[in-house]
Amino acid sequence: MVRSPLIDGHGRQIGDVRISVTDRCNFRCQYCMPAEGLTWLDRDGVLSFEEIQRLVGLLAELGVRDLRLTGGEPLVRRDFPSLVAMLAPLVEDLSITTNGFLLERDAAALVAAGANRFNVSIDSLQRDRFFEMTRRDALPRVLRGLETLAAFPEAHPIKVNAVAMRGFTEDEALPFARFAREFPYQVRFIEFMPLDAGHTWSPDQVLTGDEIRAAIHAVFPLEAEPREPHATARVYRFADGQGQIGFINPVSEPFCGDCDRIRITAEGKLRTCLFSLNETDLLGPMRAGATDDDLEQIIRDAVWRKELKHRVNEPGFIQPDRPMSAIGG
Ligand code: SAM
Ligand code: SF4
């Protein structure tokens, strides 16, 4: 069935949904989770595979073409490749954001299930610094996972995402530039956002994309690629043609104007912005017997109120209670 497109109150058409398939994670990244003391949702409180399939099917009827599965760490959800196989036929593009720890085990099954794009998060190419940031000594294993994935042509282009924090990422810029030149990965630096579990974010901890770009450009000259509509990253190619590098600058250069994204948390709450202070429950109505038409109306009403932009740089900004791991980045 085709329904009319999902449009927000500012005229933006929603084309991209990001679903968190679990709040659990096997890492404890400093900018995302506390070192310990998190309580997980119980299994009953999380969307089932069938519920996710129903929501994605309905959103596809409403014009959503791109689906990203994330978490928490999506690969820790039991039978995750089976979920991917259920969802891939419903959308044009199915991507997965992962910390890579279980990719050695799952890459083949995920590609076979229909995942066609992957973002692998790596914050440092040095083992001790990776450990410091993620609180897990897992860099060699993550790199093996990346290599396993890279063996599948269907998985390319593979993106490697690094969160950029002042006092840490300055020393990573050139090693990542060399990495992006040597291997077939597009490395992207993401500015640290106020979505950390400890609520200790401050603007001076953000290392801006522009600063990193300038440092890389001084050694390996860069040329800008045109920006694709709805894109989060500003992409540059190395002037000698050897690879690409990207910058996701939500803090210093917000890209809210043509944002076409919505998010659904592991417990079935619809969020219209990473920084939303309100969310809309979908799981409760689904389990209470809502029809697809009822759900469509709930989703349309929420999307209509989608925020024009985030207010991270404005006085009075309030950080959402949920950290990134509970939103689905
Ligand atoms: N566990 C998976 C991973 O790390 O790729 C998927 C979920 S994680 C929440 C999604 C992305 O959000 C990762 O690339 C992570 O680095 C990024 N992230 C988490 N907290 C962040 C923050 N406070 N600011 C910017 N990016 C953040
Ligand atoms: Fe886990 Fe990803 Fe958050 Fe790191 S960024 S703690 S890997 S959810």
Side-chain angles (χ1 to χ4, degrees), residues 25 29 31-32 70-74 97-99 119-121 123 161-163 190-196 324-325 328-329:
C25 188
C29 302
Y31 46 73
C32 181
T70 175
E73 172 50 35
T97 304
T98 172
N99 62 28
N119 291 356
V120 183
S121 304
D123 299 315
N161 291 339
V163 175
I190 309 177
E191 288 176 350
F192 177 35
M193 291 182 273
L195 293 168
D196 54 316
M324 192 68 143
S325 64

Side-chain angles (χ1 to χ4, degrees), residues 110-143:
L110 292 171
V111 171
N116 59 307
R117 282 197 302 134
F118 290 82
N119 291 356
V120 183
S121 304
I122 302 178
D123 299 315
S124 172
L125 293 169
Q126 282 183 55
R127 187 169 177 167
D128 54 336
R129 303 190 88 232
F130 181 98
F131 184 14
E132 180 189 338
M133 195 60 118
T134 60
R135 304 188 180 107
R136 292 292 180 270
D137 182 16
L139 180 64
R141 181 163 165 164
V142 169
L143 291 176

Side-chain angles (χ1 to χ4, degrees), residues 230-264:
H230 317 297
T232 54
R234 307 296 289 253
V235 180
Y236 291 77
R237 63 178 172 275
F238 292 101
D240 62 5
Q242 228 182 306
Q244 281 187 329
I245 199 139
F247 302 90
I248 302 178
N249 303 337
V251 179
S252 68
E253 250 185 298
F255 34 78
C256 307
D258 64 353
C259 174
D260 69 340
R261 293 172 282 282
I262 55 173
R263 294 180 152 78
I264 299 175

